[in-house]
Amino acid sequence: MSEARHNWSKEEILEIYNKPLMELLYEAATVHRKNHDPNTVQVSTLLSIKTGGCPEDCGYCPQAARYHTDIEGNDLMAVSQVKAQALRAKASGSSRVCMGAAWRNVKDGPEFDQVLEMVRTINKLDMEVCCTLGMITENQAKRLAEAGLYAYNHNLDTSEDYYKDVISTRAFEDRLDTIENVRKSNVTVCSGGIIGMGEALEDRAGMLVALTSLNPQPESVPINALVAVEGTPMEDIEPVSIWDMIRMVATTRIVMPETQVRLSAGRTEMSREGQAMCFFAGANSIFAGDKLLTTPNPDVNEDMAMFKMLGLNPQKPFTKVSQPKTVEAADSQIQSLGEKPKWSRPGHFIERNETAKQKAKIID
């Protein structure tokens, strides 16, 4: 096993990223084989349990209430609906369900209690449960852990320097604080980012510096390609090339050898050959299903056909970390504190975000 380093510099990471492609692929594949089964890829299903109406201004996100994106919003799903979706995902080969809610942050109350029941329900199906619910406090993280949560996703999105050009309604430090709160529980961390948002290569390296500096490093790192959605501030950005995705996956694998690298949004634009090169370079997880929250994703049957062609096997649940125990609500030892944390609102001006907001007002 390779030992994870926490002192990578931006210059070192850029040097890796810019290596001749064949050399980069060889190094990444070598690291991958030392730390993972190269023929095993985890299949996860992403489920939007509450869609649309988010108060944030993330420039890439069609769920932001301030933009006009034709996203059909819905209230929080019922536990029974989530269970049915989880059973369907399990039958199609998924070992993990990630539930996403378009919230700025978790608020104590009936809706969070309902999410906790969803976590209990899916964990009892012997599936890994991941949630991405926005910013959370230490107590909220511990309540999720008690319910049986396996992982919490909170992406850094990009480098700290470029972050202020993407989001103005919360600070980069809020994301780090949320990850720190998760680390105070026994829940694993899933945190990565998006490439193709107009950032420089230095920003991609900067994001990896921030992720590698975490100790321990995230157990999984999603690498997303921007899916430009009409109505968002980033609607006119050209899709990132497959070569950029391959380089980003390979570099992530080298600097985070023990981490699950998740090939996430943007796979509909990738050929099977391109995805195969990402797997060779170290990606060992995908999201299956027809949608990733609100954006298109390859059909699960297409993915299974690709797995068969490449000789890949779906990873079984709890391969990396043992299954957490579920404590029923009636037996809970961690009670709601009714917290109202003051997460930051930097509120600086991002021209393209404001332009998209004004355009949405005109359309409405």
Side-chain angles (χ1 to χ4, degrees):
M1 299 286 283
S2 303
E3 188 173 343
R5 268 184 60 186
H6 302 279
N7 61 346
W8 288 97
S9 69
K10 190 184 295 186
E11 291 72 26
E12 286 177 304
I13 292 176
L14 279 172
E15 186 177 347
I16 293 170
Y17 185 97
N18 288 316
K19 282 186 176 186
L21 185 62
M22 296 306 151
E23 186 179 339
L24 175 62
L25 286 173
Y26 179 78
E27 183 177 348
T30 301
V31 172
H32 187 50
R33 280 152 178 73
K34 284 182 179 178
N35 295 274
H36 306 271
D37 178 351
N39 296 315
T40 299
V41 173
Q42 184 176 47
V43 181
S44 304
T45 293
L46 188 54
L47 178 62
S48 182
I49 59 173
K50 190 275 177 186
T51 305
C54 182
E56 303 282 57
D57 78 333
C58 306
Y60 53 80
C61 186
Q63 299 203 64
R66 65 189 68 202
Y67 308 136
H68 185 84
T69 59
D70 292 327
I71 292 297
E72 187 175 336
N74 66 270
D75 295 330
L76 189 64
M77 291 175 67
V79 175
S80 58
Q81 290 176 294
V82 169
K83 182 178 181 179
Q85 294 276 20
L87 286 169
R88 179 184 167 199
K90 185 176 183 179
S92 66
S94 287
S95 61
R96 176 185 288 206
V97 172
C98 184
M99 298 184 289
W103 292 336
R104 168 176 163 83
N105 59 278
V106 170
K107 297 178 181 178
D108 291 340
E111 287 197 328
F112 185 43
D113 292 341
Q114 192 168 323
V115 172
L116 292 172
E117 196 56 39
M118 294 175 190
V119 172
R120 295 186 184 97
T121 300
I122 297 175
N123 191 43
K124 290 174 192 173
L125 299 177
D126 295 327
M127 299 183 76
E128 297 175 12
V129 193
C130 177
C131 281
T132 179
L133 311 170
M135 296 170 286
I136 58 172
T137 66
E138 178 182 348
N139 186 70
Q140 290 164 345
K142 289 181 175 177
R143 293 182 72 196
L144 284 163
E146 187 186 52
L149 190 70
Y150 185 90
Y152 194 84
N153 168 262
H154 200 64
N155 289 336
L156 296 186
D157 284 346
T158 187
S159 70
E160 185 171 5
D161 289 339
Y162 193 63
Y163 188 87
K164 63 182 180 296
D165 293 316
V166 178
I167 302 163
S168 73
T169 51
R170 57 177 161 183
F172 192 79
E173 193 64 33
D174 292 329
R175 296 193 180 257
L176 296 176
D177 289 344
T178 289
I179 291 171
E180 185 178 347
N181 288 337
V182 173
R183 281 294 181 212
K184 293 173 183 175
S185 70
N186 63 353
V187 173
T188 65
V189 168
C190 176
S191 184
I194 308 167
I195 69 170
M197 297 191 295
E199 75 285 348
L201 293 186
E202 288 77 9
D203 293 307
R204 296 177 191 176
M207 181 183 76
L208 291 180
V209 167
L211 290 169
T212 56
S213 298
L214 298 172
N215 194 1
Q217 292 174 355
E219 283 79 3
S220 66
V221 173
I223 301 297
N224 298 276
L226 174 70
V227 178
V229 177
E230 186 177 356
T232 65
M234 297 184 177
E235 64 180 358
D236 294 325
I237 294 182
E238 291 296 316
V240 70
S241 81
I242 184 61
W243 306 112
D244 285 334
M245 283 296 289
I246 292 167
R247 285 187 177 277
M248 193 66 183
V249 166
T251 305
T252 304
R253 168 52 66 226
I254 292 168
V255 300
M256 286 187 273
E258 299 173 10
T259 292
Q260 296 263 136
V261 178
R262 300 186 177 277
L263 190 59
S264 302
R267 283 201 303 120
T268 52
E269 302 299 320
M270 299 180 199
S271 67
R272 284 185 175 179
E273 293 85 352
Q275 292 179 68
M277 290 188 75
C278 286
F279 295 135
F280 181 76
N284 55 350
S285 177
I286 61 168
F287 284 104
D290 57 354
K291 278 190 177 181
L292 290 187
L293 295 181
T294 60
T295 56
N297 198 49
D299 179 80
V300 66
N301 293 322
E302 290 181 23
D303 286 332
M304 291 304 101
M306 177 177 64
F307 273 35
K308 184 177 181 181
M309 180 179 64
L310 298 176
L312 297 175
N313 302 305
Q315 179 180 299
K316 296 184 182 302
F318 314 112
T319 299
K320 304 291 184 179
V321 177
S322 60
Q323 183 175 10
K325 294 181 180 178
T326 286
V327 176
E328 298 297 341
D331 301 319
S332 173
Q333 300 298 307
I334 307 173
Q335 300 303 311
S336 168
L337 299 179
E339 296 174 282
K340 296 181 179 179
K342 297 292 184 182
W343 298 100
S344 68
R345 291 184 181 274
H348 59 274
F349 183 85
I350 303 175
E351 185 174 356
R352 63 184 173 190
N353 289 13
E354 287 299 316
T355 299
K357 179 181 175 181
Q358 294 306 317
K359 182 179 176 182
K361 286 182 178 179
I362 293 171
I363 293 172
D364 290 340

